[in-house]
Amino acid sequence: AHAKKEGYEVEVSHNSLYLNKAAKTISIQVVRESFLELDTVLDLNTFDLLTAGAVFDLLSESLLEKLLRTIQKHKIACLTTINYEGIEFIPAQESDEIYIRYYETHMVRPQPFGHSLGPHTSYALSRLLDQYKIKFIQGESNWDIDAPSQKMHNFLLNYMEEGVTAMLSDKKTKAEFQTWLSEKRSLVKQQQLQQIVYHSDFFFHQ
């Protein structure tokens, strides 16, 4: 709708979006297959920019490095957004740190491809970009979730509940966690809870 308002002709075809305006055409290709083998899914020589949101932090360091080598080989610019760095609850409780640690441990748990980077993504990515001498800009893209945003608070607490519960083994710690969750949900209901989810965005190019 915004593109049409700006005078672009819009054409949608399968996983592609074409925006045409006078002599300028912007072609957007959505990758629904695994992006880990990008050069087998797309002809990367025909693209100028890759974008990836909330996905690099799911990769292991070796998978991230492999992807960076592919990007460097084809000299494509890349914008990666919403790379998780941490979470904070306001007002804070002493036990917050315990469950945030469980949550982030679940993020980096062993998987068939290795350990996801989770909150360590920004550090690993900046180090690898320096190593490969790729220029980059890094900036914050934090989610500052205010008290009235009850739906978002509940979504994030439910997501956190799934991860933390998977890390708990005995009834006592599970019960303590449920008590903590109940207190947070009570604050949400009263519109007294705020959350900050810390993220970083990176733009890099040759």
Side-chain angles (χ1 to χ4, degrees):
H2 178 72
K4 287 182 177 178
K5 186 178 178 181
E6 293 298 317
Y8 285 88
E9 294 178 10
V10 179
E11 178 186 346
V12 180
S13 174
H14 190 45
N15 291 335
S16 300
L17 173 65
Y18 301 95
L19 306 177
N20 303 301
K21 184 177 182 181
K24 183 185 292 183
T25 300
I26 300 172
S27 174
I28 300 171
Q29 178 79 34
V30 179
V31 177
R32 302 192 187 278
E33 301 87 351
S34 171
F35 63 89
L36 298 176
E37 303 290 344
L38 264 182
D39 46 359
T40 65
V41 176
L42 300 171
D43 179 3
L44 293 179
N45 295 317
T46 64
F47 289 87
D48 300 307
L49 175 68
L50 297 175
T51 64
V55 71
F56 274 26
D57 48 19
L58 302 177
L59 302 178
S60 66
E61 185 164 339
S62 60
L63 289 176
L64 178 61
E65 184 171 9
K66 180 181 177 182
L67 182 61
L68 287 181
R69 286 200 301 266
T70 299
I71 292 170
Q72 183 184 45
K73 175 184 174 183
H74 293 276
K75 295 182 169 54
I76 307 173
C78 181
L79 172 65
T80 172
T81 61
I82 319 179
N83 297 291
Y84 176 86
E85 292 189 338
I87 188 169
E88 178 183 357
F89 294 97
I90 304 167
Q93 296 173 266
E94 285 186 21
S95 50
D96 290 355
E97 194 68 29
I98 296 169
Y99 299 116
I100 290 170
R101 195 179 312 120
Y102 274 122
Y103 177 57
E104 294 179 348
T105 301
H106 181 261
M107 288 183 187
V108 300
R109 70 195 184 281
Q111 298 190 66
F113 58 82
H115 294 265
S116 294
L117 286 164
H120 313 298
T121 304
S122 295
Y123 170 76
L125 180 55
S126 58
R127 182 171 51 77
L128 286 168
L129 291 170
D130 281 336
Q131 178 182 322
Y132 284 93
K133 296 180 170 52
I134 299 174
K135 298 175 183 176
F136 70 93
I137 301 169
Q138 178 182 358
E140 295 179 354
S141 60
N142 302 331
W143 293 350
D144 193 348
I145 305 162
D146 60 9
S149 301
Q150 293 173 301
K151 187 177 288 188
M152 189 62 174
H153 284 299
N154 285 319
F155 170 80
L156 291 173
L157 287 172
N158 291 343
Y159 193 73
M160 190 173 186
E161 179 179 17
E162 185 178 338
V164 173
T165 301
M167 302 301 297
L168 304 177
S169 55
D170 63 87
K171 290 182 179 179
K172 183 175 183 293
T173 53
K174 287 181 179 180
E176 290 170 346
F177 174 53
Q178 286 301 320
T179 299
W180 179 86
L181 268 179
S182 295
E183 291 171 354
K184 288 286 186 273
R185 286 171 174 151
S186 177
L187 289 172
V188 170
K189 191 172 182 180
Q190 298 169 55
Q191 295 195 7
Q192 293 180 2
L193 183 69
Q194 298 176 60
Q195 292 185 68
I196 303 174
V197 187
Y198 297 96
H199 301 107
S200 270
D201 295 348
F202 286 78
F203 176 76
F204 53 91
H205 62 94
Q206 295 288 18

